Amino acid sequence: MNVTEAKFAGSSTRVKERPALKLPEFAFIGRSNVGKSSLINMLCNQKKLAKTSSTPGKTQLVNHFMINSEWYLVDLPGYGYAKMPLKEKDKLQKIIKDYLNFSKEMIMLFVLIDSRHDVQKIDLDFINELGANAIPFAIIFTKGDKLGPVALDRQIEKSKKQLLEYWEELPPCFKTSSETSLGKEEVLNYIESVLQTIK
Ligand code: GTP
Ligand code: MG
């Protein structure tokens, strides 16, 4: 799939405030600073569509981007930023929960994991909760340019093994870099194949 058109369609804190036009939604979540907004920009061939920052906690709202007038890419706030004040953390958690519990249009959630590190407890807890709630998800390993190719594959294999301690089968997994566009086609083609199944 090619992204020929990507435009900002609105920010919200509650599902009922989302854009009026309903389309299938693919949402991106993960720990603060894992690279959600950067990945969205990479997939859309734009530098500043989604706001990014080296300071964790940048995305504080649910942001909808309309792609090819056919589906929405949804940028969600991150979870698990230890230094964030409790009140603010709580607020973001409520926004995320509301989206995951009530967004009928979300057909796939991409959970982003930093490819440099082991899967953290907070990620495992989050993923296991998705399983308990039967929310369909796929995994995206981010920042693939930060390790050499051998170390990158080794770390990703290790992370997959960690996930297999909880899951009999792995969900679809993608290796990406927003710097080099690694994995762009794979992720977009996967989205296209999921869209085909609901047509
Ligand atoms: P929050 O909105 O705060 O939850 O963060 P986020 O997950 O949206 O992360 P964001 O895209 O803002 O990126 C965080 C930092 O990581 C920024 O400084 C990005 O430039 C950097 N970054 C993101 N993706 C990549 C990548 O693939 N490679 C490299 N080298 N840096 C990346
Ligand atoms: Mg962000």
Side-chain angles (χ1 to χ4, degrees):
M1 179 198 293
N2 281 323
V3 172
T4 50
E5 187 190 36
K7 54 184 184 193
F8 177 67
S11 296
S12 58
T13 57
R14 292 290 176 264
V15 158
K16 56 179 191 286
E17 302 161 359
R18 279 174 314 163
L21 177 64
K22 302 291 180 257
L23 293 169
E25 300 186 359
F26 292 81
F28 290 70
I29 190 127
R31 270 188 304 132
S32 277
N33 214 242
V34 69
K36 300 174 290 295
S37 302
S38 303
L39 186 81
I40 287 172
N41 288 337
M42 182 273 267
L43 294 174
C44 296
N45 314 308
Q46 293 193 34
K47 284 207 161 66
K48 291 185 179 156
L49 186 64
K51 290 195 183 83
T52 67
S53 168
S54 55
T55 312
K58 177 69 181 173
T59 308
Q60 303 245 338
L61 297 166
V62 175
N63 294 308
H64 280 68
F65 301 97
M66 195 196 284
I67 311 296
N68 299 350
S69 307
E70 203 190 345
W71 53 281
Y72 288 117
L73 228 161
V74 181
D75 193 11
L76 293 170
Y79 56 75
Y81 177 42
K83 288 184 192 146
M84 189 179 269
L86 205 59
K87 217 172 155 189
E88 223 171 293
K89 227 192 275 188
D90 239 31
K91 197 177 78 187
L92 293 190
Q93 227 155 30
K94 280 206 181 89
I95 293 174
I96 294 169
K97 271 210 169 126
D98 181 78
Y99 180 79
L100 295 180
N101 288 339
F102 302 115
S103 169
K104 290 196 190 79
E105 280 76 24
M106 189 195 77
I107 53 174
M108 182 63 59
L109 181 67
F110 289 100
V111 181
L112 276 59
I113 290 175
D114 192 321
S115 65
R116 293 172 295 176
H117 310 300
D118 289 351
V119 186
Q120 315 267 301
K121 181 170 184 309
I122 194 161
D123 296 315
L124 291 167
D125 288 347
F126 183 81
I127 291 170
N128 289 336
E129 181 95 3
L130 294 177
N133 290 301
I135 295 175
F137 70 95
I139 299 224
I140 292 185
F141 293 102
T142 62
K143 307 193 181 182
D145 58 288
K146 293 214 174 199
L147 289 178
V150 176
L152 175 64
D153 285 345
R154 197 187 305 130
Q155 182 55 49
I156 288 178
E157 280 316 304
K158 197 171 165 213
S159 297
K160 284 182 178 174
K161 277 202 186 116
Q162 275 184 284
L163 294 169
L164 284 169
E165 285 173 23
Y166 297 86
W167 294 79
E168 275 176 32
E169 243 179 281
L170 284 173
C173 291
F174 301 92
K175 176 168 74 173
T176 67
S177 159
S178 300
E179 285 289 312
T180 67
S181 294
L182 174 74
K184 179 178 180 179
E185 259 181 58
E186 287 81 357
V187 173
L188 288 175
N189 288 346
Y190 176 68
I191 291 174
E192 187 166 38
S193 72
V194 175
L195 282 171
Q196 292 294 339
T197 64
I198 58 161
K199 267 188 182 158

